[in-house]
Amino acid sequence: MGMKPRENCCPHAIIQNFINFDFTVSNIEAAKKMFLPAPLEPRADEDGDIILTCGFVDSAFPPMREVEGETPDPNTTEFSECALGMSCTVNGKPNIMNTWILLDHYAGALRRGFNRSVIDNFSRTRNHPMLEGEEHISIGSRMFATCTNDGSLYARASLTVKEIHDANWLDEHFFDWGQLRYLPDMAHGDDVKPLIQQASLYHFPSKFEVSKVYVGDGKLEFGDTLYGLFQELGEIKIKRAFFVTFAYTYGSEEFLCDAK
């Protein structure tokens, strides 16, 4: 694109701020139908719970944004998303399959191979520049995030920080992310077999940077957008809630399986 990153720019391709909620639902059958096409199978944690995840994410591409000369339009170097996934096993490998990823850019959705509803408004509590530094988030800090679609609530959540940990606190499979690539057969309607429906896994190189993990009490609520689809999950109970920032560069991408 003819842009030259400035000196001392972050070496990674992407930086993400991530408010994550691990939760259980009362209607696990609806969750499996919604999130895990065959042959994916749900995976229970050490307590026997099948975990769903909801992440409110805002991202930036440092090599594209931190350039010499005039700063590029942020619409081309930043994006936000709300990612919904379910803990599962794929060919014996633990995974979080992010079946629903709603982005605030159609281009991002097409790039990843999704054809899902796109959020048109994403808001998250920002850290004030005067409070930047090692302790810009502390015990008692509160964060909020909302996503809406055409004025209807998709999801809202809040986090009150109670504990601060290093990156080792994260689950060993936290960075084992799968994504369901889904592209419908538009010529014959959305009710027939999609042209593409595959499960893929992104590998993250060992050299990525992770901030402290800010853990606390969380609340999560889904609205009635998408015809109340996520209301079918039933009662939601938050098991873990935390905020973390990490920077990485995508490594190889592994095709896991055809999803039915």
Side-chain angles (χ1 to χ4, degrees):
M1 299 177 65
M3 296 185 297
K4 180 181 179 181
R6 63 174 173 78
E7 292 186 15
N8 301 319
C9 174
C10 173
H12 296 287
I14 188 170
I15 296 175
Q16 294 189 315
N17 295 310
F18 196 91
I19 307 180
N20 185 80
F21 299 86
D22 292 349
F23 62 99
T24 61
V25 297
S26 58
N27 191 345
I28 196 64
E29 291 303 318
K32 289 193 292 185
K33 180 179 179 181
M34 197 179 302
F35 287 93
L36 296 183
L40 282 63
E41 294 291 338
R43 179 175 68 95
D45 66 7
E46 64 277 4
D47 298 322
D49 295 327
I50 296 174
I51 299 298
L52 281 74
T53 66
C54 182
F56 295 81
V57 190
D58 55 273
S59 307
F61 302 103
M64 297 177 64
R65 190 179 70 173
E66 304 298 322
V67 298
E68 295 179 354
E70 185 177 355
T71 302
D73 183 346
N75 279 323
T76 64
T77 61
E78 302 175 12
F79 70 94
S80 301
E81 60 189 307
C82 188
L84 270 168
M86 188 172 185
S87 182
C88 67
T89 301
V90 186
N91 297 331
K93 300 178 180 179
N95 199 269
I96 296 293
M97 186 55 62
N98 291 307
T99 309
W100 290 83
I101 296 185
L102 289 87
L103 300 102
D104 62 355
H105 283 298
Y106 281 98
L110 291 173
R111 177 177 58 84
R112 292 191 178 187
F114 292 92
N115 192 299
R116 299 297 196 192
S117 180
V118 177
I119 56 176
D120 61 2
N121 186 277
F122 177 99
S123 300
R124 180 183 70 81
T125 303
R126 306 294 181 179
N127 306 322
H128 195 283
M130 291 181 68
L131 301 179
E132 288 295 340
E134 190 65 23
E135 300 302 331
H136 65 287
I137 303 175
S138 59
I139 302 297
S141 293
R142 295 189 297 171
M143 303 180 189
F144 301 87
T146 62
C147 295
T148 59
N149 190 352
D150 292 331
S152 297
L153 177 66
Y154 171 63
R156 70 162 60 98
S158 65
L159 168 68
T160 301
V161 177
K162 300 291 186 180
E163 305 171 359
I164 301 176
H165 299 273
D166 62 27
N168 293 328
W169 181 89
L170 295 169
D171 185 272
E172 62 177 321
H173 300 298
F174 177 72
F175 287 104
D176 291 330
W177 293 345
Q179 294 182 344
L180 183 66
R181 295 185 179 277
Y182 168 85
L183 204 63
D185 184 349
M186 301 301 292
H188 299 93
D190 198 29
D191 295 329
V192 300
K193 182 177 175 60
L195 293 175
I196 300 174
Q197 188 159 312
Q198 300 173 336
S200 60
L201 173 67
Y202 287 102
H203 294 289
F204 297 90
S206 58
K207 293 182 179 180
F208 58 87
E209 298 178 36
V210 185
S211 72
K212 292 181 179 179
V213 185
Y214 302 89
V215 183
D217 297 334
K219 295 180 180 179
L220 175 65
E221 174 190 358
F222 294 107
D224 58 3
T225 190
L226 300 178
Y227 305 99
L229 175 66
F230 298 109
Q231 299 291 337
E232 298 178 14
L233 296 173
E235 182 182 4
I236 292 173
K237 292 184 178 180
I238 303 296
K239 190 160 187 179
R240 285 176 293 272
F242 58 90
F243 173 82
V244 65
T245 296
F246 44 88
Y248 60 90
T249 299
Y250 281 113
S252 60
E253 179 182 343
E254 177 185 348
F255 172 73
L256 294 182
C257 61
D258 282 314
K260 298 179 181 179

